[in-house]
Amino acid sequence: MAKDKSKRFKHILVPNMAPIHFELFRNIFRHMGYQVDVLTNSSNNLIQEGLRYVHNDTCYPALVVIGQVLDALKTKNYDPETTAVVLTQTGGGCRASNYLKLLRKALDRAGYEKVSVLSLNLAHLEKENHIHVDLKMIRRMVAGLVYGDLLMFLGNQIRPYEKETGKTDDVIEKWVTKLSHEINHGHALSIHSMKKYTKQIAHDLATIETEQRNKIKVGVVGEIFVKYSSVGNNNLEQFLLDEGCEIRVPGIMGFVLYSISARMDAIELYGGSSIKHWIIRLLYRYVLKMEKVMIKAIDQEKKFEPMMPFTHTKETAKKIIGLGAIMGEGWLLTAEMAVLCEEGFPNIICTQPFGCLPNHIVGKGMIRKIKEIEPNANIVPIDYDPSATKVNQENRIKLMLSVARNDTK
Amino acid sequence: MVKIGLDIGSTTIKYVVMNEKNEIVEKDYARHMSLITNKAIEILTFLQQKYPICKLSISGSAGMGLAKYCNVHFVQEVYSEKIAADQLLDHPDVIIELGGEDAKIIFLSSGLEVRMNGSCAGGTGAFIDQMALLLHIDGSEVNEYAKKYEKMYTIASRCGVFAKSDIQPLINQGAKKEDLAKSIFYAVANQTIGGLSQGREIKGKVIYLGGPLTFNSELRKCFDETLSIQGMCPENSLYYVAIGAALLDPRETELEDVIHLLKQYQKTSTYQCIDGLFSNVEEYEVFKKRHEQHVVLSRPIETYEGNAYLGIDAGSTTLKIVLIDEENRLLYTDYQPNNGQAISFVTTFLKHLYKDYPNIHIVSSAVTGYGEELLKAALNIDWGVVETIAHYTSASYFIKDVDFIIDIGGQDIKCFKIKNGYIDHIFLNEACSSGCGSFLQTFANALGYEMAEFAKLGLYADKPVDLGSRCTVFMNSLVKQAQKDGASIENISAGLSISVVKNALYKVIRTTPDQLGKNIVVQGGTFYNDAVLRAFEKELGLDVIRPNIAGLMGAYGAALYAKRHPVQESTLLNLKQIEQMKMDIIDTQCQGCTNHCSLTIHRFENGRKYIQGNRCDKPVTNKSSQDEYNIFQYKRKLLSQYQSKEDTNTKRGVIGIPLVLNMYDLLPFWYTLFTHLGFKVVTTGFSTQALYIKGQKTIPSDTVCYPAKLVHGHIESLLEQPIDALFYPSMTYNLDEHLGDNHYNCPVVAYYPEVIQVNVKRLRDKKFIHDYIGISNKQFPKKFLQVLNQYFKDITLKELKKAIAAGKEAYQNYHYLVDQEVDKIIERSRQENRQIIVLAGRPYHLDPKVDHEIDKLIVNLGASVVCEDSIARRSQKHPTTVINQWTYHARLYAAAYYCLDYDDMNLIQLVSFGCGLDAVTTDEVKSILEKKDKIYTQIKIDEITNLGAAKIRLRSLLSAIGERNGKR
């Protein structure tokens, strides 16, 4: 591990997506010797930079992510020689696999040839420039994922009802700081301490004083970046909170499990190495176990409803779409919509970049069937794009909310 | 206490006042001309006098922010409409409402569903107004015209901009306003139904609401006919939103307070802005001075006798005429809208010229632009010049070593990069981003200004609105939002000018400013606007040259061309001939082949004729199409043969295969495989418009690519036939041809069977084999058997393995035949010195409905057409700067590399609109071709059938190639 060249960089820039998760990840990476900076710049200039250096028909997340990197490079004086940008890569059939290459092109065109681009992937892509992923790192990342998902998930459940405004976020912030500290010292990562901390977190959040309020329950699904990133989705979360909603956003854990299980399914569908299947299955089981830790912690608090386990989500998917649909968010997105309906969140916003190819299939394409299974599903697909106007988007969301209010009457 | 519902829509404000018995006591509507807050204040002030205290609700797409600020109850407009319908109507089933910018469908009975058009499908009310503007009639007159229609044209029903590019050429061809009016209404109906029904049938009691449907009986008729229903337009159909808002328990409000808050709102709102154009008058004066240097001198025509040269530029919207003397001075210029009457304008001009100035002799004449061929035929003009050449000729007159020419005209943006004296790259705007002159004009007119006056307003704007770079439809709502946020007309004007420039730079040319070169000539009527010119210089950070005849450059170039190419005796019609000139226009259908192209024939007195609308040369030359130069035709012929004969013995039954997407590649394989298993195989053949319409009701995503949308029609057509099973497998992976690092299909090709399975309900009681299949995998036979056995239990592995082997052989044989034919085409072309074009895209671009038979057009223009897959088979895997893991993309890259080694071989890339992956491939193919300075040409295709733009692009490319090869 000491051989990993990536550690020599003074700054490894990471475009932000989900703030709680990414702050935890940053600390995990720093502890392992990678000088990670999570970018927080969000000015309008970011989109302008993206438009200038990325093909405008490329999907919106690429534009935002690359724009954010360029904006950061231009406004802060990073030394190109010792700065790198890291992006994740899945290597799937969605054009998102190309982000890294597009970023490289954009950096060259903007005059940052010397800034390095690193890949974080499990698909053996970019062998020259990648962060070396080993078991230790996987274990830590999964821990970060559990904490991140838990804090996000419970925060969403409690925030709309908190008596004292801002209390939930205070508690979350306290925990992010605490966990970061623990992680920096190599703690909070064993399964034992994870059990302990998840329980404490759930308990801590459960004790926030709340009051009964009439809220509309809204689920948010979609392309992973615009779903989570407030820069990408015009501050969707805040808008929904202001409109009097309790939101539920399925966690990143689901996406990770989906990505892993897709590899097993591919072998089952088309044939392939049984050894590979066995190894992937080990990883799959390990992450499922971590999911259980999280669900258990939530379950012990009466105040909270846990998420449906991933295995259930996958079973739900089978009723609607084939498990072979694995580009982009694939069958997961479809299943998440159906599961949200089951969980009492039939009002759903399906976010996607304008012209997102997989979402033609697994998003918009599947709504008909979901409505057959869950007749009260109230789904609105929203497209995100550099010039899709906020008013337009909000108007459509308001329509969905009106129908939701009508149903609750 | 009365209840007031205020509906602030995208173009109008409506209100109703209701008493306690829910009866309407007062109502009215007015266009707000985008001065929303003002108009709202005006209306509320009026109401306040009668009802100082009332219950007030606001609704409407433009009312949201306003209501929030004034703390007035807000109701979403579609929901509001539903509430009103529940109250006023007796169990309606479906509501269709068209507004200024929105289209909505509400399904009320059996499960409430509400639909609004997505952010892409603009149009409706504003769209009809825009089209009326093109027809030079008032928006309210469209209906009257439509009543008298005789004939219908197919107009793209997708978005306003597309429809516009369909209509403009029709106008230029002299189509009747009556027919166009009706066709426009049909396009609206098709767009609404196709985009919004999304698989749910519109039937039962259908209600029409909103302005366009209230005022246009013919539009209602179009909906009735398309849906086979008898819809109804109830009383107060304009006011349902307002009524619903009034009904939904508004809060008690003092109107005075609201008015007060509205006045504050006007002042406080903010919007995204960018730097202004000029900070003061001095700066502007310096700028003006600088641009006054680039002039062509004029000479009063009265003072001249002798030889003169005529240049005509017949553009899509305007006609330009230039007459020059021996010293290239202007004797006469004219610039006017052509209104589809280019011929009569030119003849009028010539008559005057011949009569008034008998001592001026036109010794040579040339014409360029859209109407080139028509005018050339009508008036016997000496030369027809490709637009690009005309523009280059005139630009190089101003500066010899010009690097880059950018021309922003009424309908299009054209850019040419010049390298070593020849045209190196051609950029044209695609139908989707035509934010050009007419775009500025449309906005100016909508806001009540003339274009020049409107553009001027922006010169000293302090905070221009940041509108980004997008197509008109998006821009509409951005402008509206800016207005809501209090942007002044000056700042909007400047913002629009800047966005035109950004659109050209980032959408059309897609480059960083520094790559254009130093000597840049800007031209086209749009650059007469100093605001646009300044915005361009600011964005580039460079001074550019705008000739004083910026709007006449094409015509001036043609005149220069005529002068440089003298003729023995000009054939241009003389006075006598013009006076005797007769012209008949005949609309007919070509009977030359099964395409039955709609032809417009202009016939002139001495036997000259000009035919428009044809895809091939047959009606013109009476020769059969030149299929010996066209691999597309050959492939189509081959593919048509994969269809079982009527009397095929069916041991296992009939299997239907839709000829869609990847089937265009794999059909020989699947056909043979199933035939060997003892099935009769029925395929759907190539797409037709009727077939598309058949399936459009079940399309769930209105922004998916056109080839995918066509799948629905193919499936419907298979369902009409007696088949036992339908075979359309899901395929994440394609064949591995070892040209890339992996062998994916794109998500749409891979998983469209899933969309079909969910959205075409009639399939549910059929055997629909849409399972996941990996044909490149070692275990394919075993896995495929498992799939097949679910449907046909008795198929054995042995049998299947044999069938697979036969299928593979058939597939290879198909490739072998294609490759051989390509060999022949290449050989033939080299012997005859024909250019070879690799028409590269995806296998499904072979569908004549998808590629609009651009292949035939290319052959007509004198080049040969070969296909990317065959060329790729002659090539190998090369390094790429993007991830190369899609089978079809890999073929593109390999074919592009192959072209590099042959001077007579060039690549044109076909791109389906909405193809997200091609955003990646186009840049890569371009950069491959640029390794050896090849010209990259991309043609974006969609539903549009008008090939005008494609034709110009192809001609320019071929002439540029010809010129380059000449120089070598």
Side-chain angles (χ1 to χ4, degrees):
Chain A
M1 219 178 92
K3 278 178 243 149
D4 192 339
K5 285 185 286 183
S6 318
K7 287 184 183 170
R8 72 188 157 88
F9 294 108
K10 286 201 180 119
H11 299 279
I12 301 177
L13 309 182
V14 181
N16 201 354
M17 187 172 85
I20 300 173
H21 293 80
F22 276 51
E23 192 169 344
L24 290 167
F25 289 153
R26 179 191 62 187
N27 290 304
I28 291 169
F29 275 99
R30 288 207 163 171
H31 181 63
M32 289 186 290
Y34 301 94
Q35 295 310 308
V36 164
D37 283 348
V38 177
L39 300 175
T40 51
N41 48 330
S42 66
S43 75
N44 179 52
N45 183 51
L46 184 155
I47 308 284
Q48 293 305 322
E49 293 291 344
L51 282 170
R52 195 160 296 165
Y53 294 105
V54 188
H55 190 308
N56 283 201
D57 291 342
T58 307
C59 44
Y60 189 48
L63 228 119
V64 177
V65 163
I66 294 171
Q68 190 175 36
V69 169
L70 288 171
D71 179 66
L73 286 171
K74 285 187 178 176
T75 48
K76 291 177 193 160
N77 282 323
Y78 292 109
D79 172 15
E81 304 268 356
T82 58
T83 302
V85 185
V86 67
L87 290 184
T88 56
Q89 259 183 314
T90 57
C94 169
R95 58 177 166 163
S97 298
N98 261 306
Y99 283 10
L100 200 89
K101 300 280 193 182
L102 295 177
L103 173 64
R104 180 71 269 163
K105 271 191 185 178
L107 286 173
D108 291 348
R109 281 178 66 184
Y112 294 100
E113 296 89 351
K114 287 188 176 159
V115 173
S116 303
V117 174
L118 305 174
S119 170
L120 186 65
N121 70 73
L122 291 169
H124 309 290
L125 298 166
E126 303 295 319
K127 288 181 192 106
E128 296 301 306
N129 294 301
H130 76 293
I131 289 187
H132 183 77
V133 181
D134 59 8
L135 278 177
K136 191 173 167 193
M137 186 183 282
I138 290 176
R139 202 166 68 92
R140 291 176 177 206
M141 295 275 285
V142 172
L145 204 59
V146 168
Y147 292 126
D149 268 9
L150 182 70
L151 287 167
M152 180 183 79
F153 193 77
L154 296 184
N156 283 338
Q157 283 194 38
I158 202 124
R159 198 176 291 111
Y161 307 98
E162 64 189 7
K163 253 190 178 161
E164 187 189 328
T165 315
K167 184 76 186 157
T168 310
D169 289 329
D170 290 347
V171 174
I172 290 176
E173 211 184 301
K174 185 192 90 187
W175 270 105
V176 170
T177 315
K178 182 171 166 130
L179 288 168
S180 299
H181 179 82
E182 295 293 310
I183 291 167
N184 284 342
H185 290 81
H187 306 311
L189 294 168
S190 72
I191 191 144
H192 174 73
S193 54
M194 278 177 70
K195 279 184 183 162
K196 183 179 91 188
Y197 282 121
T198 49
K199 277 184 189 163
Q200 280 184 21
I201 290 170
H203 184 72
D204 228 14
L205 280 158
T207 46
I208 292 174
E209 264 194 283
T210 55
E211 59 186 22
Q212 197 56 36
R213 282 178 196 149
N214 203 6
K215 295 281 175 186
I216 307 170
K217 297 194 164 188
V218 177
V220 180
V221 299
E223 186 279 330
I224 191 159
F225 183 81
V226 288
K227 174 167 78 167
Y228 292 117
S229 161
S230 59
V231 187
N233 63 27
N234 280 333
N235 255 318
L236 179 64
E237 250 186 80
Q238 194 53 47
F239 173 76
L240 289 172
L241 283 177
D242 294 344
E243 286 294 314
C245 306
E246 178 191 334
I247 62 172
R248 175 163 295 186
V249 193
I252 299 179
M253 176 77 91
F255 187 77
V256 170
L257 280 163
Y258 148 81
S259 306
I260 300 171
S261 86
R263 281 163 194 270
M264 294 193 304
D265 296 333
I267 294 173
E268 282 158 35
L269 277 172
Y270 313 120
S273 150
S274 53
I275 297 168
K276 198 172 151 197
H277 190 274
W278 184 80
I279 295 172
I280 299 167
R281 191 162 190 83
L282 273 184
L283 180 64
Y284 180 60
R285 290 215 168 129
Y286 171 73
V287 182
L288 275 182
K289 201 162 132 193
M290 293 297 119
E291 189 198 32
K292 222 182 207 163
V293 169
M294 171 165 65
I295 291 175
K296 244 186 165 169
I298 302 173
D299 229 1
Q300 55 151 21
E301 295 297 331
K302 254 189 261 148
K303 211 168 192 170
F304 296 126
E305 287 168 48
M307 60 282 276
M308 294 274 193
F310 176 77
T311 45
H312 174 79
T313 310
K314 192 169 169 182
E315 282 307 309
T316 311
K318 283 190 201 164
K319 291 180 207 153
I320 309 168
I321 188 171
L323 292 183
I326 50 160
M327 293 184 196
E329 284 63 38
W331 56 258
L332 177 71
L333 194 152
T334 313
E336 279 178 348
M337 290 196 276
V339 168
L340 278 166
C341 292
E342 272 181 71
E343 292 177 341
F345 287 73
N347 312 300
I348 295 167
I349 298 174
C350 179
T351 61
Q352 64 236 315
F354 180 77
C356 174
L357 295 184
N359 276 26
H360 287 306
I361 314 290
V362 299
K364 289 177 187 168
M366 294 298 130
I367 292 176
R368 188 115 292 268
K369 188 76 171 273
I370 291 170
K371 282 196 79 106
E372 276 171 33
I373 299 172
E374 300 280 347
N376 61 343
N378 173 24
I379 305 170
V380 58
I382 300 287
D383 287 350
Y384 291 88
D385 181 270
S387 46
T389 62
K390 205 175 166 189
V391 168
N392 213 321
Q393 292 161 347
E394 289 180 353
N395 195 22
R396 275 163 184 76
I397 297 170
K398 284 203 165 186
L399 173 59
M400 184 274 288
L401 295 176
S402 302
V403 174
R405 286 194 193 99
N406 187 63
D407 284 351
T408 52
K409 261 179 204 166
Chain B
M1 189 182 300
V2 296
K3 292 180 277 195
I4 296 178
L6 190 63
D7 167 17
I8 308 179
S10 50
T11 47
T12 54
I13 297 194
K14 294 147 207 141
Y15 69 85
V16 293
V17 181
M18 293 173 99
N19 63 19
E20 269 148 34
K21 284 183 228 149
N22 286 345
E23 292 158 346
I24 299 175
V25 289
E26 207 167 326
K27 64 185 180 191
D28 202 3
Y29 84 98
R31 287 202 164 219
H32 55 54
M33 309 304 275
S34 294
L35 299 167
I36 292 160
T37 323
N38 288 352
K39 202 76 197 174
I41 293 173
E42 192 185 311
I43 287 173
L44 290 177
T45 314
F46 167 75
L47 290 172
Q48 183 214 355
Q49 290 159 8
K50 288 190 208 168
Y51 318 105
I53 298 178
C54 61
K55 290 182 172 176
L56 175 69
S57 273
I58 291 180
S59 183
S61 55
M64 197 159 48
L66 205 130
K68 197 172 171 188
Y69 187 83
C70 303
N71 198 23
V72 175
H73 184 225
F74 176 78
V75 187
Q76 206 282 342
E77 74 267 17
V78 182
Y79 186 67
S80 179
E81 214 155 55
K82 176 206 170 304
I83 295 298
D86 285 347
Q87 183 86 17
L88 300 176
L89 299 168
D90 180 29
H91 298 291
D93 292 302
V94 184
I95 294 175
I96 299 178
E97 199 243 86
L98 297 186
E101 279 189 357
D102 300 329
K104 296 146 202 160
I105 294 184
I106 312 175
F107 295 94
L108 294 155
S109 54
S110 52
L112 175 70
E113 269 186 73
V114 284
R115 305 267 167 71
M116 281 173 85
N117 55 336
S119 45
C120 167
T124 61
F127 167 68
I128 296 173
D129 283 349
Q130 231 177 21
M131 295 302 121
L133 207 71
L134 281 180
L135 295 180
H136 294 279
I137 57 179
D138 192 67
S140 56
E141 290 177 306
V142 182
N143 198 49
E144 287 308 307
Y145 277 101
K147 280 181 187 163
K148 288 171 269 172
Y149 89 102
E150 283 166 8
K151 174 181 172 186
M152 293 262 281
Y153 296 98
T154 315
I155 294 174
S157 64
R158 197 154 104 111
C159 99
V161 184
F162 281 109
K164 210 168 166 177
S165 47
D166 269 356
I167 286 178
Q168 191 68 52
L170 287 171
I171 296 175
N172 295 351
Q173 280 167 33
K176 289 205 192 102
K177 284 180 184 173
E178 289 79 4
D179 298 341
L180 287 173
K182 185 75 177 179
S183 311
I184 289 164
F185 281 157
Y186 253 101
V188 170
N190 268 326
Q191 173 182 352
T192 310
I193 297 162
L196 298 183
S197 58
Q198 293 164 10
R200 195 164 157 176
E201 209 179 333
I202 300 173
K203 58 178 181 190
K205 196 167 171 186
V206 178
I207 308 295
Y208 297 134
L209 298 179
L213 279 166
T214 303
F215 298 123
N216 300 305
S217 57
E218 290 303 306
L219 180 59
R220 292 199 296 272
K221 237 186 234 168
C222 289
F223 273 93
D224 281 351
E225 283 160 22
T226 314
L227 294 167
S228 330
I229 49 148
Q230 184 68 53
M232 101 154 175
C233 183
E235 199 196 345
N236 291 321
S237 54
L238 283 181
Y239 296 99
Y240 269 56
V241 174
I243 293 170
L247 288 171
L248 262 172
D249 4 287
R251 279 193 289 268
E252 196 175 313
T253 320
E254 277 193 48
L255 283 184
E256 202 184 331
D257 294 349
V258 178
I259 294 166
H260 181 72
L261 283 167
L262 276 177
K263 285 180 179 160
Q264 270 184 8
Y265 177 71
Q266 233 171 351
K267 289 175 202 146
T268 55
S269 46
T270 55
Y271 55 89
Q272 291 282 1
C273 64
I274 34 190
D275 289 346
L277 295 170
F278 294 103
S279 44
N280 53 46
V281 186
E282 290 74 45
E283 222 176 271
Y284 181 47
E285 288 303 323
V286 171
F287 166 88
K288 255 170 70 178
K289 272 250 164 63
R290 176 158 55 78
H291 282 289
E292 277 162 9
Q293 296 165 28
H294 310 290
V295 287
V296 173
L297 297 176
S298 314
R299 168 172 188 159
I301 191 164
E302 301 80 22
T303 66
Y304 186 71
E305 285 180 7
N307 290 348
Y309 304 88
L310 177 67
I312 300 170
D313 180 1
S316 58
T317 49
T318 51
L319 180 82
K320 299 125 207 163
I321 301 176
V322 162
L323 190 68
I324 58 171
D325 68 5
E326 292 284 6
E327 275 136 56
N328 302 336
R329 286 175 301 195
L330 300 167
L331 294 171
Y332 177 88
T333 63
D334 198 2
Y335 181 107
Q336 53 183 317
N338 79 20
N339 295 337
Q341 299 175 346
I343 297 179
S344 80
F345 284 148
V346 181
T347 48
T348 315
F349 156 73
L350 284 175
K351 268 189 230 168
H352 281 300
L353 185 76
Y354 289 143
K355 281 185 187 158
D356 299 348
Y357 308 103
N359 294 328
I360 291 179
H361 307 291
I362 298 179
V363 292
S364 180
S365 55
V367 58
T368 187
Y370 266 103
E372 174 199 326
E373 289 163 73
L374 175 62
L375 282 178
K376 190 164 182 271
L379 301 163
N380 249 350
I381 293 169
D382 300 302
W383 300 100
V385 189
V386 186
E387 272 183 280
T388 44
I389 303 295
H391 286 295
Y392 176 43
T393 308
S394 55
S396 59
Y397 178 78
F398 283 91
I399 175 155
K400 234 183 151 62
D401 41 0
V402 53
D403 293 313
F404 204 88
I405 302 169
I406 169 164
D407 183 293
I408 305 186
Q411 282 289 305
D412 38 30
I413 300 177
K414 299 180 278 270
C415 311
F416 324 114
K417 194 167 165 62
I418 317 287
K419 211 164 156 184
N420 306 327
Y422 56 77
I423 294 168
D424 185 53
H425 276 298
I426 304 158
F427 310 84
L428 287 169
N429 58 322
E430 308 300 339
C432 100
S433 55
S434 41
C436 332
S438 61
F439 155 85
L440 267 181
Q441 176 139 25
T442 309
F443 273 103
N445 294 356
L447 297 167
Y449 291 90
E450 283 299 315
M451 173 158 143
E453 177 195 2
F454 179 69
K456 237 184 204 151
L457 287 174
L459 288 176
Y460 301 113
D462 54 342
K463 290 189 291 179
V465 184
D466 183 4
L467 294 164
S469 58
R470 276 286 150 163
C471 83
T472 323
V473 182
F474 283 108
M475 212 59 93
N476 263 321
S477 38
L478 279 173
V479 168
K480 295 245 152 71
Q481 184 169 7
Q483 283 177 324
K484 267 170 245 166
D485 295 338
S488 67
I489 198 91
E490 288 79 12
N491 283 321
I492 288 177
S493 162
L496 283 168
S497 292
I498 294 167
S499 95
V500 164
V501 165
K502 284 192 177 167
N503 188 45
L505 276 176
Y506 302 126
K507 295 288 294 177
V508 181
I509 312 173
R510 288 195 298 100
T511 184
T512 41
D514 53 293
Q515 287 177 347
L516 296 186
K518 280 198 190 102
N519 302 321
I520 298 168
V521 174
V522 300
Q523 52 184 59
T526 311
F527 276 110
Y528 281 133
N529 298 308
D530 286 340
V532 176
L533 180 59
R534 173 67 166 184
F536 192 73
E537 290 189 339
K538 279 195 94 166
E539 196 67 32
L540 286 184
L542 198 71
D543 290 349
V544 300
I545 294 167
R546 176 194 59 186
N548 66 329
I549 52 163
L552 299 169
M553 294 291 275
Y556 190 66
L560 289 175
Y561 186 94
K563 186 166 169 249
R564 286 174 201 170
H565 296 79
V567 283
Q568 287 250 305
E569 192 177 349
S570 177
T571 53
L572 184 69
L573 298 192
N574 59 32
L575 185 58
K576 204 171 142 203
Q577 286 167 317
I578 284 181
E579 278 171 345
Q580 289 168 349
M581 187 176 150
K582 269 193 218 118
M583 178 176 71
D584 284 321
I585 303 174
I586 306 153
D587 286 323
T588 180
Q589 249 186 3
C590 179
Q591 300 302 333
C593 72
T594 49
N595 268 335
H596 298 301
C597 296
S598 224
L599 301 182
T600 308
I601 305 176
H602 293 257
R603 215 187 281 277
F604 304 101
E605 76 293 342
N606 58 355
R608 292 188 317 274
K609 66 178 179 182
Y610 172 63
I611 302 176
Q612 267 171 313
N614 51 314
R615 308 254 172 92
C616 70
D617 259 347
K618 205 168 177 184
V620 185
T621 58
N622 253 330
K623 266 195 303 190
S624 65
S625 47
Q626 304 159 292
D627 286 353
E628 66 270 29
Y629 301 109
N630 188 347
I631 196 66
F632 274 47
Q633 278 297 82
Y634 182 77
K635 272 181 154 181
R636 284 175 190 138
K637 232 178 269 163
L638 280 186
L639 281 184
S640 312
Q641 290 164 8
Y642 296 101
Q643 175 92 286
S644 299
K645 293 204 178 67
E646 272 306 315
D647 54 352
T648 306
N649 158 41
T650 63
K651 178 174 133 200
R652 284 209 162 93
V654 184
I655 209 150
I657 299 182
L659 186 54
V660 298
L661 299 173
N662 49 344
M663 282 298 176
Y664 272 91
D665 194 44
L666 292 172
L667 184 67
F669 175 72
W670 294 123
Y671 167 84
T672 313
L673 186 149
F674 282 109
T675 314
H676 269 77
L677 286 175
F679 288 95
K680 177 180 168 185
V681 178
V682 176
T683 67
T684 43
F686 303 117
S687 311
T688 60
Q689 181 67 17
L691 180 131
Y692 173 58
I693 299 283
K694 218 183 268 175
Q696 72 169 355
K697 281 177 296 194
T698 57
I699 300 169
S701 176
D702 59 343
T703 47
V704 77
C705 64
Y706 184 57
K709 286 179 176 173
L710 282 167
V711 178
H712 295 256
H714 284 268
I715 299 292
E716 293 289 340
S717 116
L718 278 178
L719 286 172
E720 285 168 1
Q721 303 181 45
I723 50 166
D724 299 295
L726 217 143
F727 180 73
Y728 182 27
S730 303
M731 293 173 67
T732 301
Y733 297 97
N734 203 331
L735 283 166
D736 189 356
E737 296 176 341
H738 308 289
L739 292 171
D741 300 326
N742 208 330
H743 48 284
Y744 283 115
N745 277 312
C746 88
V748 173
V749 166
Y751 306 135
Y752 217 74
E754 294 277 16
V755 171
I756 293 299
Q757 173 254 138
V758 161
N759 292 281
V760 185
K761 274 198 184 156
R762 284 167 66 201
L763 269 175
R764 306 250 171 108
D765 40 359
K766 279 262 186 295
K767 284 180 184 168
F768 178 36
I769 310 172
H770 66 280
D771 304 68
Y772 288 80
I773 286 169
I775 45 173
S776 272
N777 215 290
K778 265 189 220 143
Q779 294 176 43
F780 167 58
K782 210 178 101 199
K783 295 283 172 184
F784 189 40
L785 184 71
Q786 287 170 8
V787 168
L788 284 179
N789 280 161
Q790 292 169 45
Y791 306 90
F792 302 97
K793 290 203 177 61
D794 60 331
I795 297 175
T796 63
L797 186 61
K798 196 176 152 198
E799 224 183 335
L800 182 62
K801 276 187 172 167
K802 249 182 162 172
I804 290 173
K808 280 191 176 156
E809 200 188 314
Y811 182 72
Q812 273 158 14
N813 189 46
Y814 169 70
H815 282 178
Y816 174 74
L817 290 175
V818 170
D819 290 347
Q820 267 204 326
E821 184 67 17
V822 167
D823 285 341
K824 279 188 212 155
I825 292 176
I826 292 176
E827 203 186 294
R828 209 174 283 139
S829 307
R830 292 202 167 133
Q831 275 167 8
E832 297 169 20
N833 231 343
R834 277 175 86 101
Q835 279 296 321
I836 301 162
I837 298 293
V838 183
L839 193 54
R842 306 286 151 79
Y844 43 87
H845 287 144
L846 199 61
D847 189 342
K849 189 92 184 98
V850 172
D851 93 325
H852 303 302
E853 301 192 309
I854 283 174
D855 50 290
K856 287 189 180 171
L857 186 62
I858 296 172
V859 172
N860 277 345
L861 291 173
S864 304
V865 171
V866 296
C867 51
E868 84 284 350
D869 61 324
S870 177
I871 298 299
R873 283 192 286 274
R874 291 147 212 256
S875 184
Q876 59 212 323
K877 186 174 162 184
H878 288 273
T880 49
T881 66
V882 292
I883 288 195
N884 182 9
Q885 54 172 14
W886 290 266
T887 298
Y888 296 152
H889 298 191
R891 291 180 182 174
L892 286 175
Y893 305 144
Y897 267 106
Y898 186 82
C899 286
L900 294 182
D901 294 335
Y902 300 93
D903 281 346
D904 59 353
M905 202 177 263
N906 282 278
L907 185 142
I908 294 176
Q909 191 178 2
L910 290 176
V911 173
S912 284
F913 184 80
C915 179
L917 280 165
D918 272 342
V920 178
T921 64
T922 48
D923 275 358
E924 183 64 20
V925 170
K926 185 166 174 242
S927 75
I928 293 172
L929 292 175
E930 279 171 357
K931 285 184 200 295
K932 285 215 179 151
D933 282 333
K934 288 256 172 191
I935 302 179
Y936 173 75
T937 307
Q938 178 205 118
I939 296 179
K940 254 193 194 176
I941 43 182
D942 196 34
E943 274 181 71
I944 322 173
T945 48
N946 159 41
L947 291 182
K951 200 169 179 179
I952 290 179
R953 171 164 278 190
L954 292 170
R955 284 187 62 196
S956 306
L957 171 74
L958 292 174
S959 89
I961 294 169
E963 219 177 307
R964 285 168 76 159
N965 288 356
K967 281 193 183 157
R968 269 189 190 132

